[in-house]
Amino acid sequence: MKAGFWVAPEGEESAMSIMPIDTEVPVAARKLSFLATATAEEMIHRCRDTAALLPKIADALERQKEGAPGQLYDITDYSEDDRMLITETLGEGEVSGVAVLSNGITAQIQEALMAGVWRIRFTDAADRLVADYVEVASIPAVVAEACAALPSELAYGQPPAGAMNVMPVLHEISGKMAAHKPDDEAHTITFSLLPMSPEDMDFLQETLGAGPVQLTSRGYGTCRVLATGARNVWSVQFYNAMDTIILDTLEICTIPAVAIAAEEDFQDSAVRIREIEEAYFK
């Protein structure tokens, strides 16, 4: 039996590389206590774009509803100091990942310490910055955008010799894809409970293919969420502390819930943003 539905090539962790946001920031500066330093105080004094942005983010969080369209804030043309200060102020939360658009642009996604607030950096094939945004949303809009062109029907041929259960699984996936509506709850297929031969898993992987989105959630343990090459079909794998798969599933849904900010997160995050603004930016 294979270790899981999705297995990275040649033992690599990821088929797409995730680059930390603003890698030019010195490691010594990347501390939660940064805002309390003299360096931060001096930066805050001159970085008025950041000071003006924070209350806008808090206002948007107070209005935001789960699943509703989000609010984008373009910070591409902010000064380097402003963008660094935004990085330090927002911090890095549980969810990160990449989404590759059909035009070759890659979106680097990082949730802030305040759930429902996201930093999205768009880079071209030469890794040059194209755009930089802060977004208030359940999940960045670019995730759905990257998956929009995926086929909505599943085509597959005859299974190989040695296959056991792949055809019933493919029929199930195909039927759920056809019936899926945006607000439907996820339909989950749990491979941990299915007798699937290596031939089954190879054929399933080949049929579904790889998609344009990869997300990692590091809340209670690690969960890796990968779009397949079929619309609304996701590989969702949970790992223990030894990086061993403990739950291996496919979800047929718009976007898996494990990567999405919950309704109650928005109000909590608004309070935290206003506390930071009051303590450091006024």
Side-chain angles (χ1 to χ4, degrees), residues 9-270:
E10 300 180 1
E12 295 177 3
E13 180 181 349
S14 168
M16 294 180 281
S17 63
I18 299 177
M19 180 179 69
I21 289 175
D22 284 348
T23 53
E24 70 273 12
V25 178
V27 173
R30 301 186 63 80
K31 298 179 181 178
L32 290 176
S33 59
F34 175 80
L35 292 179
T37 66
T39 300
E41 183 178 359
E42 195 275 330
M43 287 182 67
I44 290 168
H45 181 72
R46 67 176 184 271
C47 293
R48 303 320 299 166
D49 284 337
T50 302
L53 178 63
L54 292 180
K56 294 178 183 178
I57 294 174
D59 289 344
L61 283 164
E62 290 174 346
R63 296 189 302 265
Q64 188 65 35
K65 301 296 181 183
E66 185 175 347
Q71 177 67 55
L72 275 173
Y73 299 95
D74 188 348
I75 63 170
T76 310
D77 294 330
Y78 281 24
S79 70
E80 183 177 342
D81 281 350
D82 265 301
R83 290 171 57 241
M84 176 183 171
L85 185 57
I86 290 168
T87 298
E88 296 295 340
T89 301
L90 296 182
E92 295 184 359
E94 295 177 354
V95 180
S96 61
V98 293
V100 180
L101 300 175
S102 57
N103 60 3
I105 297 296
T106 296
Q108 307 278 347
I109 298 166
Q110 177 64 60
E111 187 179 34
L113 285 171
M114 290 66 72
V117 181
W118 306 83
R119 181 78 172 275
I120 307 100
R121 297 173 76 247
F122 293 85
T123 55
D124 63 15
D127 201 30
R128 293 172 299 210
L129 183 68
V130 175
D132 196 351
Y133 290 91
V134 174
E135 183 172 358
V136 173
S138 298
I139 191 79
V142 69
V143 173
E145 182 182 349
C147 295
L150 293 176
S152 58
E153 295 183 357
L154 199 58
Y156 46 90
Q158 293 299 311
M164 297 166 49
N165 290 312
V166 69
M167 294 310 286
V169 170
L170 284 171
H171 289 319
E172 182 178 356
I173 293 169
S174 184
K176 292 299 179 180
M177 284 176 63
H180 178 74
K181 296 180 179 59
D183 294 331
D184 287 350
E185 292 187 3
H187 176 79
T188 303
I189 298 171
T190 305
F191 295 117
S192 307
L193 304 176
L194 285 174
M196 298 283 283
S197 69
E199 290 81 5
D200 283 324
M201 297 303 279
D202 284 341
F203 188 65
L204 184 61
Q205 291 174 20
E206 179 184 339
T207 300
L208 292 177
V213 175
Q214 174 186 316
L215 301 170
T216 300
S217 176
R218 301 187 185 278
Y220 299 101
T222 297
C223 177
R224 296 189 179 111
V225 177
L226 299 107
T228 71
R231 190 184 304 178
N232 298 324
V233 182
W234 299 80
S235 169
V236 182
Q237 298 174 317
F238 294 85
Y239 292 74
N240 63 17
M242 302 299 292
D243 206 34
T244 300
I245 297 173
I246 56 175
L247 184 61
D248 185 27
T249 70
L250 280 183
E251 289 190 16
I252 294 87
C253 60
T254 304
I255 298 172
V258 68
I260 295 175
E263 186 79 36
E264 59 270 19
D265 291 331
F266 299 123
Q267 295 302 316
D268 291 343
S269 294

